[in-house]
């Protein structure tokens, strides 16, 4: 790895995931007794920041946590993973929370309460400066659209590469698309963006210059406006839990691109990160280290 790690800045969400397991999901109005309960910091922003730091990036997180105990835990978890939280805002009120119920068959019901994430509006001078000084900006769509746009424009002005992981899917304004260097989407998000019932790579390339489509166990597909168009197969591993695979993939991709690696090679390395993640049960706790990723990549 290069002597100085690439500077990655994530502008995104941070949540506390409250996961309760039960024999079956309760019906509306019903109370049931559950089994285990697990609490883990999550949210796509925090997960991808942790993924980038573990993959070897010098990562800074921009976003907002609440003034509650969840905020303290989320921040501690980011710091313990090596993520710089100097600019992370604390807003009065609740942190983002995902209440997740999972039954024995693995079926779930999820309610996300955005809390502090919805207060992350506009960018301060310090936040803008962090973006301009970074090699890569990584955003998702669990924070207000105006903030994603402001971050993308700060990246454009600062000469920072911008990766948009358009998850969850929502309408992408033209000003945002103009500032995106690389779009990362899964198949569902890709179809939502182009409004079609099948994958439409030319349709995506009409919107942004470079696209990575993630396809779970089938790997990924890279295409750009220079005419490169390649499927990169997944690494074959024993799958334990696919939660957070996309976050592991995107965080690692940002690091590899920030290191100056060719994008096809960066996607292959990110595939190794996604595969390393699905071998373990869990969410942010199953995000792979650089050594885990390299072990698969060089095997
Ligand atoms: P998302 O969670 O955002 O839908 P995907 O499921 O497409 O994302 O996974 C992201 C990446 O993780 C894939 O492109 C692939 O490289 C890797 N991955 C996901 N599932 C598997 C799997 N079953 N085996 C190997 N790699 C996987």
């Amino acid at each position: 790895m290069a002597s100085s790690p690439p500077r990655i800045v994530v502008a995104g969400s941070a949540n506390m995931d409250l996961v309760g397991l039960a024999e079956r999901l309760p019906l509306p109005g019903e109370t049931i007794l559950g089994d285990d309960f697990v609490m883990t910091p999550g949210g796509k922003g925090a997960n991808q920041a942790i993924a980038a730091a573990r993959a070897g990036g010098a990562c800074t997180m921009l976003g907002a946590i609440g003034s509650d105990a969840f905020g303290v835990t989320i921040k501690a978890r980011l710091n313990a993973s090596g993520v710089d939280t100097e600019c992370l805002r604390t807003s009065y009120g609740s942190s983002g929370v995902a209440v997740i119920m999972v039954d024995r068959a693995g079926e779930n019901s999820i309610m996300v309460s955005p809390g502090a994430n919805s207060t992350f509006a506009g960018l301060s001078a310090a936040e803008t400066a962090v973006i301009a000084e970074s090699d890569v900006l990584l955003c998702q769509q669990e924070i207000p659209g105006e903030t994603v746009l402001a971050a993308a424009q700060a990246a454009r002005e600062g000469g920072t590469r911008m990766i948009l992981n358009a998850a969850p899917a929502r309408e992408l304004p033209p000003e945002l698309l103009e500032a995106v260097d690389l779009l990362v989407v899964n198949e569902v998000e890709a179809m939502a963006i182009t409004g079609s019932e099948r994958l439409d790579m030319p349709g995506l390339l009409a919107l942004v210059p470079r696209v990575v489509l993630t396809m779970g166990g089938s790997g990924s597909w890279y295409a750009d406006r220079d005419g490169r168009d390649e499927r990169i197969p997944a690494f074959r591993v024993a799958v334990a839990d696919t939660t957070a695979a996309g976050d592991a993939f995107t965080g690692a991709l940002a690091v590899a691109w920030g290191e100056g690696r060719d994008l096809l090679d960066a996607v292959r390395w990110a595939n190794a990160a996604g595969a390393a993640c699905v071998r373990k049960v869990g969410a942010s706790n199953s995000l792979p280290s650089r050594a885990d990723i390299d072990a698969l990549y060089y095997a």
Side-chain angles (χ1 to χ4, degrees):
M1 181 178 163
S3 51
S4 60
R7 291 156 303 172
I8 312 297
V9 55
V10 176
S13 61
N15 290 334
M16 185 60 82
D17 290 349
L18 308 177
V19 188
L21 307 172
E23 181 65 39
R24 62 178 180 81
L25 299 177
L27 299 169
E30 187 189 24
T31 300
I32 59 165
L33 277 184
D35 301 327
D36 291 346
F37 171 77
V38 198
M39 195 171 96
T40 354
K44 289 183 195 295
N47 278 355
Q48 292 183 19
I50 293 171
R54 290 182 61 77
C59 185
T60 299
M61 169 97 195
L62 304 180
I65 51 172
S67 56
D68 52 6
F70 291 153
V72 175
T73 308
I74 294 167
K75 190 169 182 177
R77 178 55 187 275
L78 286 164
N79 291 147
S81 308
V83 177
D84 184 332
T85 56
E86 198 62 36
C87 285
L88 193 64
R89 303 181 190 184
T90 302
S91 42
Y92 184 75
S94 316
S95 293
V97 172
V99 179
I100 305 171
M101 292 183 285
V102 185
D103 74 11
R104 281 279 156 79
E107 184 62 68
N108 59 33
S109 280
I110 305 180
M111 186 212 64
V112 179
S113 169
N117 295 299
S118 58
T119 70
F120 181 30
L123 289 180
S124 68
E127 289 164 335
T128 304
V130 169
I131 293 172
E133 286 158 12
S134 296
D135 297 304
V136 177
L137 165 71
L138 180 52
C139 292
Q140 314 76 24
Q141 305 204 115
E142 291 182 338
I143 56 171
E146 60 172 287
T147 310
V148 175
L149 176 59
Q153 288 174 338
R156 171 117 311 184
E157 277 158 32
T160 302
R161 291 166 170 179
M162 200 276 169
I163 302 180
L164 177 65
N165 175 212
R170 68 179 170 205
E171 199 163 328
L172 301 173
E175 316 88 84
L176 173 59
L177 290 166
E178 270 168 34
V180 171
D181 294 304
L182 172 62
L183 179 71
V184 179
V185 281
N186 66 19
E187 294 158 287
V188 174
E189 291 144 9
M191 290 189 280
I193 289 170
T194 55
S196 44
E197 277 163 26
R198 54 173 195 87
L199 289 173
D200 177 10
M201 190 56 98
L204 291 171
L205 286 174
L207 302 173
V208 291
R210 301 171 197 83
V211 175
V212 174
L213 185 69
T214 66
M215 302 180 296
S218 302
S220 13
W221 179 2
Y222 173 77
D224 63 29
R225 285 183 186 164
D226 293 331
R228 294 210 290 178
D229 187 323
E230 290 202 32
R231 315 281 177 122
I232 300 119
F235 287 81
R236 296 184 64 152
V237 291
V239 180
D241 177 4
T242 60
T243 310
D247 293 336
F249 178 96
T250 310
L253 182 67
V255 170
W257 203 27
E259 283 169 2
R261 290 159 79 160
D262 178 74
L263 263 175
L264 279 177
D265 181 45
V267 171
R268 201 175 113 73
W269 197 68
N271 270 357
C277 178
V278 305
R279 287 190 303 197
K280 284 195 192 164
V281 176
S284 56
N285 53 319
S286 67
L287 295 166
S289 67
R290 190 172 181 92
D292 293 333
I293 303 170
D294 277 343
L296 264 181
Y297 177 82
Y298 290 113

